[in-house]
Amino acid sequence: MIFLGIETSCDETGASIVRSESSGNKQQFQILSNIVSSQYIHSKYGGVIPELASRAHIRLIVPIVKTALDVAKIRYQDLDGISVTYAPGLVGSLLVGLSFAKALSVNLKIPFVGVNHLEGHIFSLFLSYPNLETPFLALILSGGHTELLMIKDRCQYESLGSTVDDACGEAFDKVARMLGLSYPGGAFIEKLAQSGNRTIDFPVPHLPGYNFSFSGLKTAVLYYLKAEKNPKPEDVACSFQEVVIDFLLKKVRLANDNLNINNIGVSGGVAINKRLQKRFEEYGEKHDMKFYFPLPSMCADNAAMIAAAGIERFIHFGSSPLTLTAEARVKL
Ligand code: KG4
Ligand code: ZN
């Protein structure tokens, strides 16, 4: 099967062509193209402006889809289906991709499949590791979500916990802003932290169970910056980043202890962080856990992961109704 995937949930306009073949009871995916356009327009505002994001998606959706088809050397009439993110995200942005996908599916008389964005991040792991066996634990760390799940099988998930306040990437972005760095700030924090040391004792958040919280840590950084006359930004970045990693590892360890699952996939924009990857891998070696990080092109938002998730959903559950609507918040 050949699917077009479309992603417009936030500030990335993405289109991708993915081919799949059955191998045993699994689909093996081949990415024929994966085009992403990030909207830099938001950086000067320090965060995503929803109305600007929707307008940019409207401008970009047709050329991005056309480019994805051209790069893959695929024509519209070669497509077997279209998958598109329908939730969660910015409703105006989601509607651009969703309406476009519905219109195209009616016109081409092919199925369309609505995909939950978080399921896309799970499929970035299947795309990067075709032989990754279930069950495994998945930790999704993005700008909008922080979620720990048990992946029982493809399309069968159990959420163990999620953030009660800010998302992990959001905390990176907010601390970056406090340090005068551009939006989105995660990569800038990582870079700055390389020249810093862990000299500041920011508190590791305390929260029982599998839930996450980052707002206390964010506030601790804010108070530190207000109180300190000459704060060293590189030490703040480094100390903050190390505490985030400690906290995430604590939660993963708890799930590993309780559920005895040693394979852990980490996905979402924050998963590209090299320091996080290194510390997770070192921790895994000590505690008999194996961590899987998506290919760099699969960490941040992209449409290949949406195409792959859509193919698998189509095989299990068929197409989505044309009445499917965009939703800002919806559980996986
Ligand atoms: O998955 P993603 O592209 O979009 C959402 O679904 O939200 O994740 C974007 C998030 C942003 O908060 C960004 O600051 C963060 O990923 N990020 C990073 C790094 N690169 C991107 N966080 C930490 N270190 C990085 N190198
Ligand atoms: Zn995402």
Side-chain angles (χ1 to χ4, degrees):
M1 273 196 295
I2 299 177
F3 261 56
L4 163 67
I6 295 176
E7 159 63 38
T8 63
S9 67
C10 190
D11 56 345
E12 260 93 25
T13 315
S16 166
I17 307 293
V18 171
R19 189 205 305 271
S20 81
E21 267 177 36
S22 294
S23 144
N25 59 354
K26 273 196 297 205
Q27 291 297 308
Q28 293 287 353
F29 302 110
Q30 187 192 2
I31 301 170
L32 303 184
S33 66
N34 188 18
I35 312 297
V36 182
S37 171
S38 295
Q39 305 173 358
Y40 292 103
I41 188 168
H42 306 287
S43 63
K44 65 177 166 192
Y45 301 102
V48 177
I49 308 291
E51 181 63 21
L52 294 181
S54 319
R55 290 180 194 199
H57 287 307
I58 290 170
R59 273 197 311 278
L60 289 165
I61 187 87
V62 173
I64 294 284
V65 168
K66 278 190 173 156
T67 309
L69 287 161
D70 287 350
V71 170
K73 299 193 172 54
I74 292 289
R75 298 163 307 167
Y76 279 113
Q77 52 272 40
D78 299 324
L79 295 173
D80 297 304
I82 304 167
S83 48
V84 58
T85 309
Y86 80 96
L90 302 170
V91 169
S93 291
L94 288 163
L95 275 174
V96 177
L98 186 60
S99 309
F100 183 89
K102 284 182 186 177
L104 198 57
S105 99
V106 170
N107 191 285
L108 296 173
K109 298 186 178 59
I110 55 173
F112 109 93
V113 182
V115 169
N116 182 305
H117 183 76
L118 293 184
E119 189 164 25
H121 279 300
I122 294 167
F123 270 79
S124 70
L125 293 161
F126 291 124
L127 278 169
S128 304
Y129 301 95
N131 297 320
L132 181 57
E133 292 290 342
T134 52
F136 64 87
L137 297 171
L139 179 62
I140 301 176
L141 304 172
S142 75
H145 308 277
T146 305
E147 184 127 3
L148 184 62
L149 301 126
M150 173 151 49
I151 312 301
K152 296 177 173 174
D153 202 345
R154 292 191 181 188
C155 303
Q156 251 196 65
Y157 320 112
E158 183 186 332
S159 175
L160 302 173
S162 55
T163 183
V164 298
D165 41 55
D166 292 346
C168 185
E170 190 180 356
F172 270 90
D173 294 336
K174 288 181 175 169
V175 168
R177 193 175 183 176
M178 291 175 206
L179 294 173
L181 304 169
S182 292
Y183 176 87
F188 296 111
I189 292 268
E190 180 182 5
K191 188 150 196 315
L192 187 60
Q194 283 166 1
S195 52
N197 294 302
R198 187 176 190 168
T199 54
I200 311 155
D201 256 341
F202 292 130
V204 180
H206 282 294
L207 203 71
Y210 298 121
N211 282 341
F212 301 83
S213 165
F214 295 96
S215 76
L217 173 59
K218 175 193 70 185
T219 308
V221 175
L222 182 69
Y223 286 169
Y224 176 84
L225 288 171
K226 276 193 175 157
E228 200 63 26
K229 279 211 180 74
N230 285 312
K232 278 180 138 184
E234 61 275 29
D235 284 2
V236 174
C238 175
S239 305
F240 161 76
Q241 184 173 262
E242 296 302 314
V243 172
V244 170
I245 297 170
D246 287 347
F247 180 52
L248 295 173
L249 281 174
K250 218 166 95 177
K251 297 293 172 176
V252 168
R253 182 72 198 271
L254 183 69
N256 167 253
D257 274 353
N258 290 342
L259 304 168
N260 212 11
I261 298 177
N262 293 16
N263 285 341
I264 300 121
V266 188
S267 65
V270 183
I272 206 166
N273 186 299
K274 284 272 173 298
R275 174 68 187 161
L276 181 147
Q277 292 191 3
K278 184 164 179 279
R279 281 204 48 205
F280 272 47
E281 272 159 6
E282 284 171 359
Y283 194 85
E285 275 166 27
K286 269 200 203 128
H287 297 95
D288 191 27
M289 283 183 247
K290 175 120 181 67
F291 288 98
Y292 296 84
F293 298 95
L295 301 168
S297 61
M298 296 281 119
C299 283
D301 288 350
N302 66 88
M305 66 186 196
I306 303 300
I311 291 173
E312 199 76 53
R313 287 203 79 76
F314 180 63
I315 288 165
H316 284 81
F317 311 110
S319 60
S320 300
L322 284 172
T323 49
L324 185 74
T325 54
E327 295 198 47
R329 286 169 194 276
V330 78
K331 279 217 167 279
L332 183 57

